[in-house]
Amino acid sequence: MANPRNLSSLQAKVWNGSIPLEIRLASSDCRTYDVSDPYLVMCPRLSYIPLLLPQLHAFFSPFLIDPDVAPSKGWLSFEDVPLKWHYPFGLLFDLYSGIDPATGPAPNEVELESQPRLSSGDDSESESGVLPWRLTIHYTEWPSRQLIQLDDNGKVMHDAFINSVKEADFLRNGTAKVVMSLSKADSTQLWNSVERMNLKNFNPINHKLLNPQGSNLRHIPMKLYLPHAAPASEEGAPAPGTVRVVQAVVTPLISNRQPQTLGTALKSVLPTLFPSTRRPMLAQPVLHGATVPLSANLHDLLRAAAYADGWLHVVVGMM
Amino acid sequence: MSSPSPESSIAANLNIEGEDDATDIPLSMAASVVLTSLPRDAAQALEGAGELGVAKVLIRVVPVGSAPSLQQRRFWMKSSNNFEVIISSLRAKLKLKPHEGLHCYVNSVFAPAPDESVGNLWRCFKTNDELVVGYSITPAFG
């Protein structure tokens, strides 16, 4: 088991991670002939789209065809794919941006102080670069097949988050007694700490969730996101693929003594993609924009690098 | 001929419910490009990776609070369907009007996102090979 101090320092890094976003208003929602100014923001990786919607609405309302539209009617897309608001930004970025963590900007470069691709001063480079991540905001034509409608007072987002926390809790303990027994104040503090990205307020509650009295950790809450190619088209032109989410029961130990590593877990859930527990052969796990060593102890990883809802959301990138 | 397993005898008079197509999430072009140039062995390894290997799973539905009970409390569903198919199928069975709410909970604990796959939920939360879904007209287990 890793040194607790190292785990907290890694957790603090994960919470500080952010992604530069450049958000433009969809031309169909924009009343000026020319496109409006983009909204630029450093967005925490652990945050959620609905938490950004009030500021986006405030910024874009002078350009909106319907200025009375509610902020909660806003939805984001990347390359015409509607972004799921119940996925954290970091997961959406790792899943959709197409950035290869092995060759892309190093994680520390993605943090606040620099925007590496833009600062090069080379226009063609910044055009083709992934950063800032360029998204589009829409206020009409809600994609109801893909996204649940949000409400004005944030209850839908809150409930989705809490249910995800409960699902994780159920996997960890075999019951959801721990999360159900949180006081109203604790439960409010948990969500408020995510809204404000306040790790100091998050940790006391998270500690209660991760260290329940008289109960041992049963399973590690982990979801794996696998890209799939579309069937080859006749013209041979690449077509957008799909994502498959895989969730399986993963125990913290694989025998009395031997802890589960990311490698042993991946080999057991995705044996064709991870034939070796030690060395990535065909695919590699990506978490918070970084490739994670297969030797990582999964229980340590859960404590240091889980998303705020208690899950390890791991994107499987093909090599 | 061998005797049917307990599971298949239950299955005998239950229809499989749900949509025909798997409802995978669309991927962006930026993330798709790399997939088109994968070597054959990698593409083969990816194909079918993480699939449940079970085409259909048993769902047991349980009324919560004042929700009306159903005669048929158990049905098969394609594992590739999303949880929203269970919700809409229950709405239809209960003949709910559009304004009437329906809240569905796995093991009477949490409400999965509508886009979570039935196969994933069954794999992680099944009891005696059934995914137990509580349903309520008013919100429960808040």
Side-chain angles (χ1 to χ4, degrees), chain A:
Chain A
M1 195 149 286
N3 179 337
R5 201 179 299 161
N6 292 345
L7 291 182
S8 350
S9 123
L10 184 54
Q11 189 203 23
K13 278 191 181 151
V14 166
W15 274 66
N16 283 331
S18 50
I19 301 164
L21 301 179
E22 179 188 299
I23 301 173
R24 289 182 184 270
L25 183 59
S27 55
S28 54
D29 289 324
C30 185
R31 65 202 183 96
T32 53
Y33 180 74
D34 294 323
V35 284
S36 65
D37 292 338
Y39 185 75
L40 301 169
V41 64
M42 287 301 292
C43 186
R45 278 184 157 265
L46 265 51
S47 189
Y48 293 91
I49 291 172
L51 302 177
L52 194 61
L53 289 178
Q55 53 198 103
L56 288 176
H57 185 267
F59 181 83
F60 286 114
S61 59
F63 307 103
L64 283 171
I65 291 176
D66 174 10
D68 296 327
V69 69
S72 63
K73 296 285 182 210
W75 57 278
L76 293 175
S77 69
F78 173 63
E79 293 184 347
D80 299 326
V81 177
L83 298 181
K84 289 176 182 285
W85 54 256
H86 60 295
Y87 285 8
F89 269 109
L91 170 61
L92 291 168
F93 181 81
D94 293 345
L95 199 51
Y96 292 126
S97 70
I99 202 164
D100 178 353
T103 56
N108 62 339
E109 286 177 296
V110 188
E111 281 169 22
L112 274 167
E113 56 276 8
S114 66
Q115 295 182 6
R117 305 262 175 142
L118 277 186
S119 59
S120 69
D122 179 342
D123 276 346
S124 62
E125 176 69 14
S126 66
E127 279 298 314
S128 61
V130 173
L131 296 177
W133 199 29
R134 295 177 184 84
L135 307 179
T136 305
I137 183 146
H138 310 253
Y139 285 94
T140 51
E141 295 167 33
W142 185 275
S144 47
R145 268 184 66 86
Q146 281 114 343
L147 302 181
I148 302 289
Q149 199 88 46
L150 291 163
D151 61 336
D152 289 341
N153 50 20
K155 192 174 180 324
V156 174
M157 174 70 240
H158 168 269
D159 289 355
F161 175 79
I162 293 295
N163 274 300
S164 196
V165 171
K166 282 186 189 170
E167 184 174 344
D169 196 44
F170 196 98
L171 274 177
R172 286 193 303 261
N173 304 305
T175 70
K177 267 191 215 135
V178 185
V179 66
M180 303 291 230
S181 68
L182 285 186
S183 68
K184 178 88 181 100
D186 281 352
S187 157
T188 306
Q189 181 176 334
L190 181 69
W191 173 238
N192 285 350
S193 71
V194 175
E195 284 182 301
R196 291 168 202 157
M197 278 293 117
N198 186 327
L199 180 58
K200 223 173 103 193
N201 289 345
F202 174 81
N203 263 339
I205 317 300
N206 192 43
H207 186 82
K208 289 185 190 179
L209 289 173
L210 294 188
N211 303 285
Q213 284 195 331
S215 158
N216 287 326
L217 180 70
R218 289 174 60 155
H219 300 118
I220 308 272
M222 179 164 76
K223 292 191 192 189
L224 304 171
Y225 299 76
L226 272 77
H228 274 265
S233 64
E234 283 175 17
E235 298 85 37
T242 55
V243 180
R244 178 187 299 158
V245 185
V246 178
Q247 186 179 329
V249 172
V250 178
T251 53
L253 299 173
I254 50 177
S255 68
N256 275 346
R257 296 263 180 88
Q258 206 182 353
Q260 184 91 256
T261 64
L262 185 57
T264 56
L266 287 170
K267 190 182 174 186
S268 87
V269 181
L270 305 172
T272 54
L273 287 177
F274 293 92
S276 160
T277 60
R278 294 167 194 278
R279 201 160 62 88
M281 314 278 273
L282 301 166
Q284 54 192 354
V286 177
L287 182 60
H288 306 302
T291 41
V292 187
L294 294 186
S295 58
N297 176 310
L298 206 57
H299 191 181
D300 283 346
L301 204 58
L302 181 70
R303 287 184 298 172
Y307 278 87
D309 60 1
W311 287 87
L312 289 169
H313 295 290
V314 178
V315 174
V316 174
M318 297 303 291
M319 292 163 67

Side-chain angles (χ1 to χ4, degrees), chain B residues 9-103:
Chain B
S9 61
I10 297 168
N13 54 359
L14 296 183
N15 295 325
I16 302 172
E17 305 197 3
E19 297 168 357
D20 283 340
D21 296 327
T23 32
D24 278 339
I25 307 164
L27 188 63
S28 61
M29 238 5 261
S32 301
V33 173
V34 63
L35 299 175
T36 56
S37 54
L38 284 181
R40 181 182 288 264
D41 59 338
Q44 275 173 353
L46 187 56
E47 184 76 39
E51 275 183 352
L52 187 60
V54 177
K56 56 187 172 48
V57 296
L58 263 179
I59 312 294
R60 177 193 287 276
V61 291
V62 181
V64 173
S66 59
S69 50
L70 289 167
Q71 277 209 320
Q72 189 197 333
R73 292 187 166 206
R74 212 154 34 162
F75 53 88
W76 288 104
M77 181 151 288
K78 292 195 171 194
S79 60
S80 58
N81 277 154
N82 285 347
F83 191 72
E84 65 195 327
V85 181
I86 295 186
I87 302 175
S88 55
S89 148
L90 269 170
R91 290 193 70 91
K93 287 174 204 281
L94 293 164
K95 301 189 174 63
L96 292 181
K97 298 187 182 76
H99 70 272
E100 289 177 294
L102 182 69
H103 305 267

